[in-house]
Amino acid sequence: MQTRPWSDRELRKLGSCLKHDRPIPDALPHYGEVMIWYNDLAAEVQKSIASLDWASLLGPRPPDVTSRGKTRDTLVQKLRRQEDVPLHLVQDIAGVRFEADMTLDEQDAVAVAIAGLFGLPADSSAIKDMREAHHSGYRAVHIWLQLEGRVEIQIRTQLQGEWANMYERASDVFGRDIRYGALPIDGTARKIVEAVQQMSYEKVATSEYQRNEMHLLQLGVEESDLLPGSPPSIIDKTDIRDRLTALQARSAEVQRELRAQIGLLENEFARLRKGEDH
C-alpha cells in the first residue's frame, strides 16, 4: 500500500479548516487529493478482501464487497460532532462493506478471516461487535484497520444491510442525527423512528438468532451421520430432519416477509423525502 503523502499535522490542520468552514491555505493538502488517496486505500482493501476464497466459508452465497469514501458534507458533520477527533484519526474516512447471506456465526467467522488477512488476531480489539449494544437500531460487525490511513470494514448480513439502507432513507426525512442517538422532537415522528429501531432489535435480531440456531442443529445432525459406528438414536433422525426442514422453511419465509416490510418502509421514506424536496 502506498505511503500516505501528508503528515498527521497537515491533515489535522486541513480538518480544522473544514470543521470551521475556513479557507484552506495553499500550504495544506487539497481536500480532493486527500479523498482520492483514501478512496484508493479503500479500493485496495476491498480488492484484498474480495480475493479470499469465501466459498469455503459461505458456500454458494458469494459476498458483495464494496468500498467508498466519505462525502465532504458527511466528513464535516463528523468532525463537528466528534470535536476531539482530528481528520487523520477519523476511522471511517475510508470504508469497505462486506454483505452476504449468512448466519450470525458465519458473520463472526468472516470477521476473524478478514482480521487475519491484515495480521490481526481473532480476539483483536479492532473487531467491534455492534449487534447487541444500542446503536439506534444499527447492527453489524466492524473492523477498524490502522494502515497507512484508517479504514473501517463493515460486515453485515443481508438483513442487517437492508435495514441499514432503509434507516438511511429515514434519516433523510427525520434528520441525520437519528443515526447517532437523537430522536425527533415531534411526537409522531419520534414514534416512527422508535418503531423502526425496534424492528431491528426485535424482529430482525430474533429472526437471525433463530436461523443461526437452526443452522447449528442442521450441522449437528449432519456431523452425527458421519461418525463411524455411532449407536442408533432413540429418536428417528428422519423425523428430526423433517421438522428441521419445516422450521428452516418457515424461518426463510419470515425473513422474506421482513425484507418486504423493510422495502416498503424504504420506498415510503424515499417518497416522503421527494415530497419535501418539491
Side-chain angles (χ1 to χ4, degrees):
M1 294 185 180
Q2 295 183 355
T3 302
R4 195 184 70 194
W6 311 284
S7 67
D8 291 352
R9 184 169 178 269
E10 288 174 314
L11 292 181
R12 184 188 297 270
K13 288 183 175 181
L14 172 61
S16 180
C17 290
L18 293 171
K19 182 192 304 184
H20 300 291
D21 197 24
R22 294 197 301 258
I24 299 173
D26 292 339
L28 294 181
H30 189 275
Y31 167 79
E33 294 175 337
V34 172
M35 293 313 299
I36 288 173
W37 187 87
Y38 273 99
N39 288 344
D40 288 345
L41 175 62
E44 285 188 62
V45 172
Q46 172 198 0
K47 184 177 180 180
S48 296
I49 293 172
S51 68
L52 292 179
D53 176 20
W54 292 110
S56 61
L57 179 59
L58 300 175
R61 293 166 285 146
D64 182 24
V65 187
T66 57
S67 63
R68 59 101 184 101
K70 277 193 171 300
T71 66
R72 183 173 182 137
D73 285 346
T74 56
L75 178 58
V76 169
Q77 288 171 12
K78 185 146 198 172
L79 289 169
R80 290 173 178 170
R81 191 170 58 252
Q82 300 179 352
E83 293 184 1
D84 297 332
V85 179
L87 178 60
H88 66 283
L89 294 184
V90 172
Q91 185 60 55
D92 60 346
I93 190 171
V96 175
R97 184 171 294 160
F98 182 110
E99 284 191 12
D101 177 18
M102 56 187 169
T103 66
L104 297 175
D105 284 346
E106 287 171 334
Q107 187 178 19
D108 289 333
V110 166
V112 170
I114 293 176
L117 176 65
F118 295 96
L120 299 173
D123 61 351
S124 172
S125 61
I127 301 176
K128 312 292 183 180
D129 189 340
M130 305 176 71
R131 294 170 297 187
E132 298 297 333
H134 196 285
H135 295 283
S136 298
Y138 180 80
R139 296 172 61 249
V141 177
H142 287 187
I143 299 177
W144 288 1
L145 297 181
Q146 296 185 35
L147 307 174
E148 283 294 318
R150 297 195 175 218
V151 182
E152 179 180 85
I153 302 168
Q154 300 173 343
I155 303 167
R156 308 194 304 205
T157 67
Q158 284 184 341
L159 261 180
Q160 291 166 6
E162 289 169 19
W163 183 93
N165 292 336
M166 177 268 291
Y167 200 66
E168 277 286 325
R169 301 289 77 76
S171 73
D172 291 339
V173 176
F174 302 113
R176 295 190 65 81
D177 284 348
I178 67 169
R179 300 164 72 242
Y180 309 107
L183 289 171
I185 297 175
D186 177 77
T188 300
R190 176 186 288 261
K191 288 180 180 179
I192 293 172
V193 171
E194 289 176 334
V196 170
Q197 292 179 359
Q198 286 303 111
M199 170 186 275
S200 175
Y201 286 126
E202 293 180 2
K203 292 184 178 181
V204 173
T206 298
S207 176
E208 289 190 319
Y209 291 139
Q210 290 174 343
R211 180 187 177 188
N212 198 72
E213 289 301 314
M214 284 184 286
H215 182 67
L216 291 175
L217 286 172
Q218 181 68 46
L219 290 176
V221 170
E222 292 172 356
E223 288 177 3
S224 68
D225 289 341
L226 297 175
L227 292 175
S230 58
S233 173
I234 298 175
I235 302 176
D236 185 357
K237 284 186 180 179
T238 302
D239 182 54
I240 294 176
R241 289 193 194 91
D242 288 345
R243 281 187 279 176
L244 187 55
T245 298
L247 287 171
Q248 288 172 329
R250 176 55 185 155
S251 175
E253 178 61 26
V254 168
Q255 292 215 359
R256 282 193 292 271
E257 291 172 358
L258 269 174
R259 287 193 171 97
Q261 292 173 14
I262 289 170
L264 287 172
L265 284 170
E266 183 170 5
N267 290 337
E268 179 62 14
F269 292 140
R271 185 189 67 80
L272 289 172
R273 176 56 190 269
K274 186 176 180 180
E276 290 178 357
D277 290 342
H278 290 281

